[in-house]
Structure formats: C-alpha cells, structure tokens
Amino acid sequence: MSLDIQSSEDFPLLQVSNTTKLYGGRIGCKDVSFDLYPGEVLAIVGESGSGKTTLLNCLATRLTPTSGSVNYRNRMGQMRNLYEMSEAERRMLMRTDWGFVHQHPADGLRMTVSAGANVGERLMAVGARHYGNIRDTATDWLGRVEIAEDRIDDDPRAFSGGMRQRLQIARNLVTAPRLVFMDEPTGGLDVSVQARLLDLLRGLVADLGLSVIIVTHDLAVARLLSHRILVMRHGHVIESGLTDQVLDDPQESYTQLLVSSILQP
Amino acid sequence: MTNTPKTKVLVSDLAKSFKMHLRDGLEIPVVSGVNFSVSAGECVVLGGPSGSGKSSILKMIYANYRCQKGQILITDGDEIVNVADATPRRIIRLRETTIGYVSQFLRAIPRVPALTLVAEPLMAQGVAEDEAFERAGNLLSRLNVPERLWQLPPATFSGGEQQRVNIARGFIAHYPILLLDEPTASLDAANRAVVVELVEEKKTQGVAMVGILHDHDVRDAIADRIIDVTSFASAA
C-alpha cells in the first residue's frame, strides 16, 4: 500500500466536469463542474425546478448523465470515473463509501423492519456478522441521533417525521461513509424539529469529517451547514463560492433576488 | 518575540461597489484606492461617519465581501495569501487559524449552548474539549455573563448578553489577525473596560488588529493609528 494519508486532504474526493443531463430537449442540468474536497460541505441551492436534485442524482449515480464525467477518489487513492465502473462496483460504493439521505424517510428506510434492523442492515452489508456487536452499534447510533434505546425494536411506521429522519441519518452514517448526499433533509419538518436535526447534522459532520453535498432551497440551512454554495437556475450554476460571501454579497441578479426573498422571523 | 515590526495585513488599491440588480443594475460605489497596512501588535482603527465604507473594508479583509479591484495580502505563517483571489478552501483555513472576526451581532445556532459557542473556535484549533470549556467559562465570567446562562442557547438572551457571548467567541482563540466590528457598541462601562483589557492582551501577544469603534473612550484607549476612510471615498 502506498497510500499517502497525510496528503489525501489535498486531493479532491469528487471531480465533476461538464456534467449535463438532458430530458429529451429539456435541460435538467448543464455543464456543471466543481471539485469537492475531503471534509467539505457543499450546498446546492435554487428554487424548485432549477435542477438541484437532477444534479445530485447524477453525482450519486441514481441518474445517468447525458454527458460529462464524475470522478471519485476511492480508498486506494485512485480516481475512478463513476460511469465507467461496473454496476456491482457502483452498488458496493453506495453501500460502503457513500450515504444518501432522502427528503422523505420512507424512501431511504425499510418501513416494515425495526429501527435497530434498519441500522444493522447497513452494517451487515459491509460484512458485520456478530449479532451482539451489530445490536450494540445500532443502539449506540440510535443514541447519537437521539432515539431512545427502548424504541430499537419498533418499526419506523411508529415514529414521528423527525424521528424517521434521524433514523435515516443513523442508517446512513453507521458504516462511516466518506461522502453523503442529502436531498432536502429538513424539508417538511416543523421548525423546532428542523432545528434539532440541523444541530445534530452539524455536530456529526464536524465530528466525522464527512464530505457532504446537500440540496436545499432553504438558504438558512445552507448557511448553517455548508462551506461552499452553488446557486442553480434553469439547470445552470449561475454563482458559486464561499457560503457567507455568496449570501452576504451576492453578485448575480437571481442570487440577489433569492437572498432578498427570505422572510426574517 | 521579535521587536521588528512585521506587516500582517497589506491592503493595496482596493475598490468595492455594489451592483443592485433588483434596482435596474444601479451601481453604488463604496470605496476605492484603499491603501494601508497593519503590523504585528498594532491596532489600527478605521474612522469616518456611518456609510463611509468601514464595515465593507473589514468584510473584504475577512472575505465576507468580494472586491472589484486591488489586493489584500495576509501573512499566514511563512506564506502570503491574497484574500481577494484565494480559493474558498484557503479562506476557510485562514479563518480557522489566522483571521478572527468579532462582530456586533451574534448568529445564534439553534440548541447550541453559549459555553459551546464560545469554546468552538478553540476546539477548531485543536484544543482539548475540557480545556476549551474551562477557558470559555473564564472568559464569560470576565465579561460578566452569569454562569446560570452558560448552558442555554443564547437566542433568548438580551442584546447585551448576546453581544458579550459573541465577544468571548471572538477573543477566545489566538489569531495573528483580529478584526473588530464595533465590539463595544451598547456595552456598559465595566464591560467596555474588559474589552479594552482583552485588546491590550492581544497586542502584547503580537496580534495585528483592524477595528471599527464609534466609542471615543475605547478608541482612544486602544488605537495606535486612525485611518480616515473618507479619503477612500469613491468618486460618485
């Protein structure tokens, strides 16, 4: 093994170049390019229909881009084009190195198995076999996302929306992924529940040194969680940069409109 | 520590204007031809009436605002970084280790207790949690924030309490460069005196500071030099 751990932070984890997705003649996203480094949180913002989720799905191999490339640095330090990998390799990546937090927990959880099994299942997928260890790890993770230990055997149908979302996060993070995709993780939650989730995410991301790409239409969420921001409109990235710089000194007309449209409580 | 003055911040030919797209692309000039430098252990105060561009200059040094022209050179250890064209990653690293910002307004984070907010910059620099919390507590005590508030999120604190939490957060860690955006506005005399002490301590540690201070007493107490920002007014 010649992996140089010390300098691994100096190389991008993900390199996106000219990623384009067309739906027939319509643009989903067009010519999007950026690098994501280890430990970086990137927010993709823009209004509904701007192409945020299309882009996210192209990056996470849930959609095949029409053109462009997405390269990912694996644990051996090799850059691999996601769309030149075999389906099996991609699936392995999804199970081990990556997480995907959906807006609707039902899309990311198995609703008919227990909370503990939802978390344990991901562990088994990466080779854990000892029941006691799996259960202990699952209990530990439920604790970290503030789900009481005595709920471990309940299935998520018995959970509130906020609890389900926290469970989905535990299920994603239990295998210590390097890159997590999030699609509006706080969407549809009321504000106090949202605050709890954001605080939790903020802590976990910092503690685990995760790289995250988060899609949100909520600029406050982007400000709280992200280092960098991409502003999308009609499928194009129209402005990007340091999060507080883009939000406090927006240059583009559309970004100025977005920022000035926020209601102050 | 060496006695030779060492330039920490060098601002040259800096210009800033705002383009308001929502008002038909109205161009609002802020400053131009901004030139000054700050040495280690020196506190430079930006003077001038409201609206003359003091805050904008401070925000450009912190890379919170972009600039249209000029450069902002920052000494970061053995390196010199131009904030005006540095990458976001480089800026984030600068903000962790090299440039601190004490603002007037606290951006409270839901559910995060005051003590943690204050300790965070230290922990980001690698200080152990126990020590970070202890030092955070000491600083909050010095700034007369009662201990019963430490474990509460500051969103519901009074304006003055929030401001003192923010000052503690701004002063707790060592940054070779510290930007002060009216840290004493609306503080009482006792707390103003604490801020003056904190600034003096930073000076002896060789910290280079750029500040905006409307309070004349505080300004006279800490300023080594006053730069009149109206001389950088853009020709409107």
Side-chain angles (χ1 to χ4, degrees), chain B residues 50-61:
Chain B
S50 297
S52 56
K54 305 185 296 292
S55 268
S56 290
I57 293 174
L58 221 53
K59 284 175 174 165
M60 283 188 278
I61 299 174

Side-chain angles (χ1 to χ4, degrees), chain B residues 107-179:
Chain B
R107 195 177 281 281
I109 299 169
R111 294 212 313 164
V112 178
L115 191 69
T116 309
L117 268 181
V118 175
E120 260 175 3
L122 275 183
M123 294 190 281
Q125 290 185 352
V127 174
E129 204 172 286
D130 289 352
E131 191 194 332
F133 281 123
E134 194 186 322
R135 284 169 60 185
N138 291 341
L139 197 48
L140 285 172
S141 298
R142 266 182 86 179
L143 286 158
N144 305 301
V145 178
E147 194 167 347
R148 62 189 155 76
L149 296 180
W150 295 0
Q151 295 303 333
L152 301 176
T156 55
F157 290 8
S158 73
E161 285 160 353
Q162 288 194 6
Q163 195 188 358
R164 280 175 280 144
V165 169
N166 211 30
I167 289 169
R169 182 177 158 95
F171 276 100
I172 191 159
H174 173 74
Y175 302 102
I177 297 162
L178 198 56
L179 309 173

Side-chain angles (χ1 to χ4, degrees), chain A residues 52-98:
Chain A
K52 309 184 295 276
T53 300
T54 294
L55 175 61
L56 190 76
N57 285 334
C58 283
L59 304 178
T61 71
R62 296 164 54 81
L63 268 180
T64 307
T66 312
S67 60
S69 69
V70 182
N71 285 284
Y72 174 73
R73 185 174 301 276
N74 66 19
R75 289 186 199 242
M76 319 296 194
Q78 301 156 325
M79 258 348 224
R80 298 286 312 277
N81 187 339
L82 295 176
Y83 294 96
E84 286 168 6
M85 287 181 181
S86 67
E87 185 57 37
E89 279 179 289
R90 280 206 293 265
R91 211 173 311 125
M92 191 61 195
L93 209 55
M94 269 308 230
R95 276 209 301 253
T96 57
D97 268 24
W98 292 3

Side-chain angles (χ1 to χ4, degrees), chain B residues 53-207:
Chain B
K54 305 185 296 292
S55 268
S56 290
I57 293 174
L58 221 53
K59 284 175 174 165
M60 283 188 278
I61 299 174
Y62 199 60
N64 180 228
Y65 280 3
R66 297 178 219 213
C67 39
Q68 270 77 36
K69 195 174 164 235
Q71 54 181 18
I72 301 164
L73 302 182
I74 296 290
T75 308
D76 184 24
D78 298 330
E79 253 183 278
I80 290 175
V81 181
N82 182 8
V83 167
D85 67 5
T87 63
R89 295 179 68 220
R90 191 70 185 90
I91 304 279
I92 287 166
R93 200 140 49 90
L94 276 180
R95 289 177 179 179
E96 260 170 25
T97 60
T98 307
I99 313 181
Y101 192 98
V102 187
S103 75
Q104 308 167 57
F105 305 108
L106 178 74
R107 195 177 281 281
I109 299 169
R111 294 212 313 164
V112 178
L115 191 69
T116 309
L117 268 181
V118 175
E120 260 175 3
L122 275 183
M123 294 190 281
Q125 290 185 352
V127 174
E129 204 172 286
D130 289 352
E131 191 194 332
F133 281 123
E134 194 186 322
R135 284 169 60 185
N138 291 341
L139 197 48
L140 285 172
S141 298
R142 266 182 86 179
L143 286 158
N144 305 301
V145 178
E147 194 167 347
R148 62 189 155 76
L149 296 180
W150 295 0
Q151 295 303 333
L152 301 176
T156 55
F157 290 8
S158 73
E161 285 160 353
Q162 288 194 6
Q163 195 188 358
R164 280 175 280 144
V165 169
N166 211 30
I167 289 169
R169 182 177 158 95
F171 276 100
I172 191 159
H174 173 74
Y175 302 102
I177 297 162
L178 198 56
L179 309 173
L180 312 171
D181 193 351
E182 293 210 51
T184 55
S186 81
L187 287 186
D188 61 25
N191 285 309
R192 277 204 304 272
V194 177
V195 173
V196 171
E197 272 172 36
L198 289 170
V199 170
E200 290 302 330
E201 287 168 21
K202 292 288 182 192
K203 276 191 199 178
T204 57
Q205 290 161 18
V207 173

